[in-house]
Amino acid sequence: MYGMLFSLKSFVSKISPLDTKEGFLYYKTSKYALHYFETPSGLKFILNTDVNAQNVRELLQQIYSQVYVEYVVKNPVCNMKEPIKSELFRSKLDAFIKQSNVFVSRPM
Amino acid sequence: MADEVLFELLHSELVSYVLKNSEKDKKHGDLSTLEYVGFSAGYRIIERLTKEWPRFKDELDTMKFICTDFWSSINKKQIDNLRTNHQGVYVLQDNAFRFLTRLSAGRQYLEMAPKYVAFTCGLIRGALSNLGINSMVTAEVQSMPACKFHIQVQRI
């Protein structure tokens, strides 16, 4: 997945006629949309959503500042290079997504 | 503004540094250095914090000071519960101990909890020592982020 996103990112920056401020934001297919957010420190956040989701970039930014930084960066046990095993991070992330208005449980 | 985070990050690094050093020459799990660092810090900080305060009437008064002003100037909150048996044993309970709130909520990483409370145990012991009370401070963590500090006053 990393290779695909890296190529997409460089492709978008080359093909764009104007100078891009933010670069690659998301791609949409008929079934899902993949949203991408990169921080200045090189961390990449990827979220797969429904085709109709709005304001996901803001959501990703909030997840970074309110959940990731709080419960992973400030956690002395979490090593930056390993996958995150903290249960607290998982539950806080879950709670955060559920109370955001991007998450809507709609009967299919 | 940023100083709360700074202290927390510094404390995490202090813990990992002390443990890495003790792994090299001494035995595993040696927290006495950490406790001593806390002791010196507590000893000196109490001098500064109680600059303008009158002398404490008795031991219980001193404990109440530790629970309210001392704890809030260091951790920005007060101790949630103070219990005593009036025979020199005090239990201070903090339901959201600042160095444990980011670790986990419940039982995960429980075995790592003692490392992160050792400094604060020393801090309390140092503060009490400079106020004239010799004691032994231990901590008990059953479920994070709540933490209980047991203080046993040593009377000669």
Side-chain angles (χ1 to χ4, degrees), chain A residues 70-71 73-77 85-88, chain B residues 5 12 101-105 108-109 112 116:
Chain A
E70 285 294 316
Y71 298 103
V73 175
K74 290 187 189 171
N75 188 341
V77 175
K85 291 186 198 114
S86 161
E87 290 292 329
L88 183 61
Chain B
V5 184
S12 324
T101 43
R102 309 262 184 325
L103 260 186
S104 91
Q108 201 195 17
Y109 300 132
M112 314 229 183
Y116 297 95

PDB file of all heavy atoms in Angstrom, chain A residues 70-71 73-77 85-88, chain B residues 5 12 101-105 108-109 112 116:
ATOM      1  N   GLU A  70      -1.925  12.501  21.897  1.00  0.00           N
ATOM      2  CA  GLU A  70      -2.226  12.305  23.311  1.00  0.00           C
ATOM      3  C   GLU A  70      -1.873  10.904  23.783  1.00  0.00           C
ATOM      4  O   GLU A  70      -1.274  10.721  24.815  1.00  0.00           O
ATOM      5  CB  GLU A  70      -3.725  12.494  23.555  1.00  0.00           C
ATOM      6  CG  GLU A  70      -4.191  13.909  23.536  1.00  0.00           C
ATOM      7  CD  GLU A  70      -3.623  14.695  24.691  1.00  0.00           C
ATOM      8  OE1 GLU A  70      -3.623  14.177  25.832  1.00  0.00           O
ATOM      9  OE2 GLU A  70      -3.159  15.799  24.464  1.00  0.00           O
ATOM     10  N   TYR A  71      -2.295   9.896  23.038  1.00  0.00           N
ATOM     11  CA  TYR A  71      -2.204   8.548  23.591  1.00  0.00           C
ATOM     12  C   TYR A  71      -1.115   7.685  23.006  1.00  0.00           C
ATOM     13  O   TYR A  71      -0.898   6.587  23.463  1.00  0.00           O
ATOM     14  CB  TYR A  71      -3.568   7.858  23.478  1.00  0.00           C
ATOM     15  CG  TYR A  71      -4.588   8.611  24.273  1.00  0.00           C
ATOM     16  CD1 TYR A  71      -5.517   9.431  23.658  1.00  0.00           C
ATOM     17  CD2 TYR A  71      -4.573   8.564  25.660  1.00  0.00           C
ATOM     18  CE1 TYR A  71      -6.416  10.169  24.403  1.00  0.00           C
ATOM     19  CE2 TYR A  71      -5.463   9.301  26.404  1.00  0.00           C
ATOM     20  CZ  TYR A  71      -6.381  10.100  25.776  1.00  0.00           C
ATOM     21  OH  TYR A  71      -7.265  10.833  26.505  1.00  0.00           O
ATOM     22  N   VAL A  73       2.062   9.332  21.252  1.00  0.00           N
ATOM     23  CA  VAL A  73       3.313  10.068  21.392  1.00  0.00           C
ATOM     24  C   VAL A  73       3.658  10.264  22.857  1.00  0.00           C
ATOM     25  O   VAL A  73       4.800  10.110  23.274  1.00  0.00           O
ATOM     26  CB  VAL A  73       3.208  11.430  20.666  1.00  0.00           C
ATOM     27  CG1 VAL A  73       4.439  12.242  20.903  1.00  0.00           C
ATOM     28  CG2 VAL A  73       2.994  11.210  19.187  1.00  0.00           C
ATOM     29  N   LYS A  74       2.639  10.582  23.675  1.00  0.00           N
ATOM     30  CA  LYS A  74       2.918  10.843  25.079  1.00  0.00           C
ATOM     31  C   LYS A  74       2.978   9.577  25.900  1.00  0.00           C
ATOM     32  O   LYS A  74       3.186   9.634  27.105  1.00  0.00           O
ATOM     33  CB  LYS A  74       1.835  11.754  25.658  1.00  0.00           C
ATOM     34  CG  LYS A  74       1.914  13.143  25.109  1.00  0.00           C
ATOM     35  CD  LYS A  74       0.950  14.029  25.834  1.00  0.00           C
ATOM     36  CE  LYS A  74       0.845  15.366  25.181  1.00  0.00           C
ATOM     37  NZ  LYS A  74      -0.237  16.143  25.751  1.00  0.00           N
ATOM     38  N   ASN A  75       2.793   8.451  25.295  1.00  0.00           N
ATOM     39  CA  ASN A  75       2.835   7.195  26.024  1.00  0.00           C
ATOM     40  C   ASN A  75       4.266   6.694  26.039  1.00  0.00           C
ATOM     41  O   ASN A  75       4.820   6.394  24.992  1.00  0.00           O
ATOM     42  CB  ASN A  75       1.929   6.190  25.306  1.00  0.00           C
ATOM     43  CG  ASN A  75       1.760   4.915  26.094  1.00  0.00           C
ATOM     44  OD1 ASN A  75       2.550   4.611  26.973  1.00  0.00           O
ATOM     45  ND2 ASN A  75       0.725   4.181  25.763  1.00  0.00           N
ATOM     46  N   PRO A  76       4.886   6.593  27.220  1.00  0.00           N
ATOM     47  CA  PRO A  76       6.299   6.222  27.256  1.00  0.00           C
ATOM     48  C   PRO A  76       6.557   4.795  26.791  1.00  0.00           C
ATOM     49  O   PRO A  76       7.662   4.453  26.413  1.00  0.00           O
ATOM     50  CB  PRO A  76       6.678   6.386  28.728  1.00  0.00           C
ATOM     51  CG  PRO A  76       5.404   6.405  29.463  1.00  0.00           C
ATOM     52  CD  PRO A  76       4.355   6.885  28.553  1.00  0.00           C
ATOM     53  N   VAL A  77       5.526   3.964  26.813  1.00  0.00           N
ATOM     54  CA  VAL A  77       5.734   2.574  26.442  1.00  0.00           C
ATOM     55  C   VAL A  77       5.687   2.372  24.927  1.00  0.00           C
ATOM     56  O   VAL A  77       6.306   1.456  24.408  1.00  0.00           O
ATOM     57  CB  VAL A  77       4.656   1.710  27.142  1.00  0.00           C
ATOM     58  CG1 VAL A  77       4.725   0.296  26.709  1.00  0.00           C
ATOM     59  CG2 VAL A  77       4.846   1.809  28.632  1.00  0.00           C
ATOM     60  N   LYS A  85       0.178  -1.067  20.219  1.00  0.00           N
ATOM     61  CA  LYS A  85      -0.571  -2.125  20.878  1.00  0.00           C
ATOM     62  C   LYS A  85      -1.443  -1.605  22.004  1.00  0.00           C
ATOM     63  O   LYS A  85      -2.078  -2.369  22.702  1.00  0.00           O
ATOM     64  CB  LYS A  85       0.413  -3.136  21.483  1.00  0.00           C
ATOM     65  CG  LYS A  85       1.141  -3.905  20.442  1.00  0.00           C
ATOM     66  CD  LYS A  85       1.997  -4.991  21.073  1.00  0.00           C
ATOM     67  CE  LYS A  85       3.034  -5.438  20.091  1.00  0.00           C
ATOM     68  NZ  LYS A  85       4.399  -5.120  20.485  1.00  0.00           N
ATOM     69  N   SER A  86      -1.465  -0.299  22.213  1.00  0.00           N
ATOM     70  CA  SER A  86      -2.144   0.229  23.391  1.00  0.00           C
ATOM     71  C   SER A  86      -3.655   0.121  23.270  1.00  0.00           C
ATOM     72  O   SER A  86      -4.251   0.582  22.300  1.00  0.00           O
ATOM     73  CB  SER A  86      -1.728   1.692  23.566  1.00  0.00           C
ATOM     74  OG  SER A  86      -2.616   2.358  24.376  1.00  0.00           O
ATOM     75  N   GLU A  87      -4.299  -0.485  24.282  1.00  0.00           N
ATOM     76  CA  GLU A  87      -5.753  -0.631  24.283  1.00  0.00           C
ATOM     77  C   GLU A  87      -6.422   0.718  24.439  1.00  0.00           C
ATOM     78  O   GLU A  87      -7.502   0.965  23.920  1.00  0.00           O
ATOM     79  CB  GLU A  87      -6.184  -1.509  25.469  1.00  0.00           C
ATOM     80  CG  GLU A  87      -5.804  -2.951  25.348  1.00  0.00           C
ATOM     81  CD  GLU A  87      -6.565  -3.648  24.252  1.00  0.00           C
ATOM     82  OE1 GLU A  87      -7.722  -3.256  23.990  1.00  0.00           O
ATOM     83  OE2 GLU A  87      -6.007  -4.556  23.634  1.00  0.00           O
ATOM     84  N   LEU A  88      -5.760   1.590  25.215  1.00  0.00           N
ATOM     85  CA  LEU A  88      -6.318   2.914  25.469  1.00  0.00           C
ATOM     86  C   LEU A  88      -6.450   3.681  24.165  1.00  0.00           C
ATOM     87  O   LEU A  88      -7.474   4.316  23.899  1.00  0.00           O
ATOM     88  CB  LEU A  88      -5.391   3.659  26.434  1.00  0.00           C
ATOM     89  CG  LEU A  88      -5.846   5.036  26.888  1.00  0.00           C
ATOM     90  CD1 LEU A  88      -7.154   4.934  27.612  1.00  0.00           C
ATOM     91  CD2 LEU A  88      -4.796   5.649  27.774  1.00  0.00           C
TER      92      LEU A  88
ATOM     93  N   VAL B   5       3.347  19.189  29.331  1.00  0.00           N
ATOM     94  CA  VAL B   5       3.813  18.121  28.435  1.00  0.00           C
ATOM     95  C   VAL B   5       5.301  17.917  28.610  1.00  0.00           C
ATOM     96  O   VAL B   5       5.791  16.784  28.607  1.00  0.00           O
ATOM     97  CB  VAL B   5       3.547  18.515  26.966  1.00  0.00           C
ATOM     98  CG1 VAL B   5       3.925  17.393  26.066  1.00  0.00           C
ATOM     99  CG2 VAL B   5       2.110  18.883  26.776  1.00  0.00           C
ATOM    100  N   SER B  12       9.323  10.572  31.364  1.00  0.00           N
ATOM    101  CA  SER B  12       9.395   9.285  30.654  1.00  0.00           C
ATOM    102  C   SER B  12      10.828   8.980  30.239  1.00  0.00           C
ATOM    103  O   SER B  12      11.290   7.842  30.355  1.00  0.00           O
ATOM    104  CB  SER B  12       8.544   9.275  29.388  1.00  0.00           C
ATOM    105  OG  SER B  12       7.386   9.995  29.545  1.00  0.00           O
ATOM    106  N   THR B 101      -2.137   8.347  33.097  1.00  0.00           N
ATOM    107  CA  THR B 101      -3.338   8.512  32.270  1.00  0.00           C
ATOM    108  C   THR B 101      -3.073   8.168  30.817  1.00  0.00           C
ATOM    109  O   THR B 101      -3.964   7.703  30.126  1.00  0.00           O
ATOM    110  CB  THR B 101      -3.883   9.948  32.296  1.00  0.00           C
ATOM    111  OG1 THR B 101      -2.774  10.833  32.188  1.00  0.00           O
ATOM    112  CG2 THR B 101      -4.638  10.232  33.547  1.00  0.00           C
ATOM    113  N   ARG B 102      -1.832   8.407  30.342  1.00  0.00           N
ATOM    114  CA  ARG B 102      -1.590   8.145  28.930  1.00  0.00           C
ATOM    115  C   ARG B 102      -1.191   6.706  28.687  1.00  0.00           C
ATOM    116  O   ARG B 102      -1.119   6.264  27.557  1.00  0.00           O
ATOM    117  CB  ARG B 102      -0.463   9.048  28.425  1.00  0.00           C
ATOM    118  CG  ARG B 102      -0.660  10.495  28.749  1.00  0.00           C
ATOM    119  CD  ARG B 102      -1.222  11.217  27.584  1.00  0.00           C
ATOM    120  NE  ARG B 102      -1.406  12.621  27.671  1.00  0.00           N
ATOM    121  CZ  ARG B 102      -1.749  13.353  28.696  1.00  0.00           C
ATOM    122  NH1 ARG B 102      -1.891  12.789  29.821  1.00  0.00           N
ATOM    123  NH2 ARG B 102      -1.907  14.641  28.612  1.00  0.00           N
ATOM    124  N   LEU B 103      -0.867   5.973  29.766  1.00  0.00           N
ATOM    125  CA  LEU B 103      -0.385   4.610  29.593  1.00  0.00           C
ATOM    126  C   LEU B 103      -1.503   3.676  29.206  1.00  0.00           C
ATOM    127  O   LEU B 103      -1.426   2.967  28.220  1.00  0.00           O
ATOM    128  CB  LEU B 103       0.246   4.107  30.889  1.00  0.00           C
ATOM    129  CG  LEU B 103       1.768   4.150  30.967  1.00  0.00           C
ATOM    130  CD1 LEU B 103       2.220   3.482  32.229  1.00  0.00           C
ATOM    131  CD2 LEU B 103       2.371   3.431  29.794  1.00  0.00           C
ATOM    132  N   SER B 104      -2.506   3.607  30.054  1.00  0.00           N
ATOM    133  CA  SER B 104      -3.625   2.731  29.724  1.00  0.00           C
ATOM    134  C   SER B 104      -4.780   3.045  30.644  1.00  0.00           C
ATOM    135  O   SER B 104      -4.648   3.794  31.597  1.00  0.00           O
ATOM    136  CB  SER B 104      -3.231   1.270  29.859  1.00  0.00           C
ATOM    137  OG  SER B 104      -3.496   0.805  31.155  1.00  0.00           O
ATOM    138  N   ALA B 105      -5.941   2.479  30.336  1.00  0.00           N
ATOM    139  CA  ALA B 105      -7.107   2.676  31.201  1.00  0.00           C
ATOM    140  C   ALA B 105      -7.547   1.305  31.658  1.00  0.00           C
ATOM    141  O   ALA B 105      -8.333   0.653  31.014  1.00  0.00           O
ATOM    142  CB  ALA B 105      -8.216   3.353  30.408  1.00  0.00           C
ATOM    143  N   GLN B 108      -3.924  -3.050  31.109  1.00  0.00           N
ATOM    144  CA  GLN B 108      -2.808  -3.247  30.190  1.00  0.00           C
ATOM    145  C   GLN B 108      -1.581  -2.516  30.704  1.00  0.00           C
ATOM    146  O   GLN B 108      -1.705  -1.438  31.275  1.00  0.00           O
ATOM    147  CB  GLN B 108      -3.187  -2.705  28.806  1.00  0.00           C
ATOM    148  CG  GLN B 108      -2.348  -3.282  27.713  1.00  0.00           C
ATOM    149  CD  GLN B 108      -2.473  -2.496  26.429  1.00  0.00           C
ATOM    150  OE1 GLN B 108      -2.932  -1.376  26.438  1.00  0.00           O
ATOM    151  NE2 GLN B 108      -2.063  -3.091  25.340  1.00  0.00           N
ATOM    152  N   TYR B 109      -0.390  -3.057  30.493  1.00  0.00           N
ATOM    153  CA  TYR B 109       0.874  -2.439  30.920  1.00  0.00           C
ATOM    154  C   TYR B 109       0.972  -2.272  32.429  1.00  0.00           C
ATOM    155  O   TYR B 109       1.729  -1.434  32.906  1.00  0.00           O
ATOM    156  CB  TYR B 109       1.079  -1.049  30.272  1.00  0.00           C
ATOM    157  CG  TYR B 109       1.128  -1.054  28.764  1.00  0.00           C
ATOM    158  CD1 TYR B 109       0.382  -0.154  28.022  1.00  0.00           C
ATOM    159  CD2 TYR B 109       1.948  -1.946  28.073  1.00  0.00           C
ATOM    160  CE1 TYR B 109       0.440  -0.139  26.648  1.00  0.00           C
ATOM    161  CE2 TYR B 109       1.996  -1.933  26.694  1.00  0.00           C
ATOM    162  CZ  TYR B 109       1.238  -1.025  25.984  1.00  0.00           C
ATOM    163  OH  TYR B 109       1.296  -1.017  24.628  1.00  0.00           O
ATOM    164  N   MET B 112       4.376  -2.258  34.126  1.00  0.00           N
ATOM    165  CA  MET B 112       5.292  -1.131  33.957  1.00  0.00           C
ATOM    166  C   MET B 112       4.951   0.030  34.878  1.00  0.00           C
ATOM    167  O   MET B 112       5.693   0.983  34.971  1.00  0.00           O
ATOM    168  CB  MET B 112       5.188  -0.597  32.543  1.00  0.00           C
ATOM    169  CG  MET B 112       5.196  -1.691  31.546  1.00  0.00           C
ATOM    170  SD  MET B 112       6.345  -1.312  30.318  1.00  0.00           S
ATOM    171  CE  MET B 112       6.110  -2.651  29.242  1.00  0.00           C
ATOM    172  N   TYR B 116       6.852   4.225  36.795  1.00  0.00           N
ATOM    173  CA  TYR B 116       6.420   5.591  36.597  1.00  0.00           C
ATOM    174  C   TYR B 116       5.911   6.256  37.863  1.00  0.00           C
ATOM    175  O   TYR B 116       5.587   7.434  37.849  1.00  0.00           O
ATOM    176  CB  TYR B 116       5.374   5.648  35.463  1.00  0.00           C
ATOM    177  CG  TYR B 116       6.001   5.211  34.172  1.00  0.00           C
ATOM    178  CD1 TYR B 116       5.901   3.902  33.746  1.00  0.00           C
ATOM    179  CD2 TYR B 116       6.773   6.091  33.434  1.00  0.00           C
ATOM    180  CE1 TYR B 116       6.543   3.484  32.596  1.00  0.00           C
ATOM    181  CE2 TYR B 116       7.413   5.680  32.281  1.00  0.00           C
ATOM    182  CZ  TYR B 116       7.294   4.377  31.873  1.00  0.00           C
ATOM    183  OH  TYR B 116       7.943   3.972  30.739  1.00  0.00           O
TER     184      TYR B 116
END
